[in-house]
Amino acid sequence: MRRIATNISFLRKKKGLTQEQLAEELGITRSRIGSYEEGRSEPSIDILILLSGFFRLPIDALVRHDLSLSKDKSYIDIGSQRVLFPIIMDGKEKDLIEVISAKASAGYLNGYSDPEFIEQLEKISLPFLPSGKHRAFPIKGDSMLPLKDGSFVIARFLESIQELHEGKTYVLLTAQEGIVYKRVYRKDAETLLLHSDNKDYVPYTVRLEEVLELWEFSCSINMSDFEEKELKISHMLKVLKEMQEELEGMK
């Protein structure tokens, strides 16, 4: 667990704390902090939970990733958690869209904060999107008609829950359900109310602390007119690239 040693030191210094100050915040001794940073001992799960809560980072980010390699803007606050968010740019410094295929969506809940997982995703750049970080997410089922199975929603990442607008549609990553696409309302300071556009589905609530990521709808690609064999990531990328070429030709 060498990374946890360097990460504790990096995060402590980033906050401008001495080992003694961090120890006081966590309710442990300074010597224990020193032993963790020097790699002489490993923090127990109880200490990892304390560190996770204090730095507002998932435990897997503390243990698995070298946080010193990330830019400041790679840390994004959602609800009460802070997640490691890899920002990827192309050679022209334009934001790229990572496309979450149906297959990749199954592992997204575990991989959303893993730079290696994100790096392996297909990527595309579209010139007509509003500023901000975007990803393309697959639609499953018929809860958000007219979008159907095989369609994709391209959504912009929200850095704060305060950016949420009542009644708009969002892609949410929740600790319990993984990726969901719903119309979102604020029920109270700690709870969101999620509505499906298909009235056959009953609205339900989710607590903010369960929301790991929040993405605002920008546009959609409705693939329902294509045959099942065409509903592949490669075909969707082709459609997006054709759209991009058409738009650039109109400039």
Side-chain angles (χ1 to χ4, degrees):
M1 295 179 65
R2 181 59 189 169
R3 281 180 176 169
I4 188 64
T6 57
N7 285 340
I8 293 174
S9 177
F10 170 74
L11 293 169
R12 173 180 61 77
K13 293 173 182 177
K14 191 174 180 63
K15 276 186 169 287
L17 300 175
T18 64
Q19 289 185 347
E20 184 172 354
Q21 289 171 328
L22 177 58
E24 289 178 357
E25 292 285 349
L26 300 179
I28 60 178
T29 64
R30 187 212 62 78
S31 61
R32 289 183 70 181
I33 295 295
S35 67
Y36 297 152
E37 292 188 0
E38 294 167 15
R40 291 184 284 108
S41 64
E42 298 179 354
S44 65
I45 186 62
D46 290 337
I47 298 299
L48 286 175
I49 292 172
L50 287 176
L51 290 167
S52 174
F54 181 75
F55 291 117
R56 291 196 298 159
L57 280 167
I59 290 177
D60 71 315
L62 289 169
V63 174
R64 297 175 57 197
H65 306 296
D66 185 351
L67 302 182
S68 65
L69 299 179
S70 301
K71 300 177 182 178
D72 288 346
K73 64 182 180 180
S74 294
Y75 295 103
I76 304 297
D77 292 308
I78 285 292
S80 61
Q81 267 218 326
R82 206 179 193 200
V83 300
L84 183 65
F85 185 80
I87 302 297
I88 303 173
M89 299 285 187
D90 65 12
K92 298 179 180 179
E93 295 299 310
K94 294 179 181 178
D95 288 335
L96 291 175
I97 303 168
E98 295 105 4
V99 182
I100 313 299
S101 66
K103 181 178 180 180
S105 67
Y108 189 73
L109 180 58
N110 293 324
Y112 76 97
S113 63
D114 185 348
E116 294 181 3
F117 176 86
I118 300 301
E119 179 63 29
Q120 293 174 5
L121 298 173
E122 297 277 3
K123 303 171 186 67
I124 191 170
S125 175
L126 292 177
F128 59 85
L129 293 174
S131 61
K133 182 63 187 175
H134 288 78
R135 279 185 185 159
F137 296 89
I139 295 299
K140 298 180 180 179
D142 61 352
S143 67
M144 292 298 286
L145 296 174
L147 292 180
K148 299 178 181 179
D149 262 346
S151 300
F152 281 79
V153 164
I154 298 177
R156 179 179 66 90
F157 188 82
L158 295 190
E159 298 188 5
S160 169
I161 193 66
Q162 303 307 317
E163 296 182 54
L164 184 145
H165 296 283
E166 294 274 334
K168 286 193 173 183
T169 55
Y170 296 87
V171 174
L172 303 91
L173 178 67
T174 72
Q176 298 299 320
E177 294 187 277
I179 299 172
V180 295
Y181 175 55
K182 298 294 179 184
R183 196 168 297 278
V184 181
Y185 299 86
R186 291 293 294 266
K187 183 176 182 181
D188 53 47
E190 299 179 350
T191 312
L192 298 178
L193 183 62
L194 307 188
H195 277 253
S196 298
D197 285 349
N198 184 340
K199 302 306 179 184
D200 291 338
Y201 292 82
V202 178
Y204 63 96
T205 59
V206 61
R207 293 182 62 80
L208 278 177
E209 63 188 23
E210 297 179 13
V211 179
L212 304 177
E213 290 186 338
L214 185 63
W215 302 77
E216 183 179 49
F217 174 89
S218 288
C219 64
S220 64
I221 308 295
N222 195 334
M223 307 296 285
S224 60
D225 294 333
F226 297 99
E227 297 180 11
E228 183 176 354
K229 64 181 180 180
E230 294 181 303
L231 298 181
K232 299 178 181 179
I233 188 67
S234 58
H235 185 76
M236 198 207 77
L237 288 170
K238 180 181 177 181
V239 172
L240 291 175
K241 287 176 181 177
E242 289 175 352
M243 289 173 56
Q244 178 176 346
E245 290 171 359
E246 290 177 3
L247 287 163
E248 290 178 342
M250 295 171 60
K251 293 182 178 180

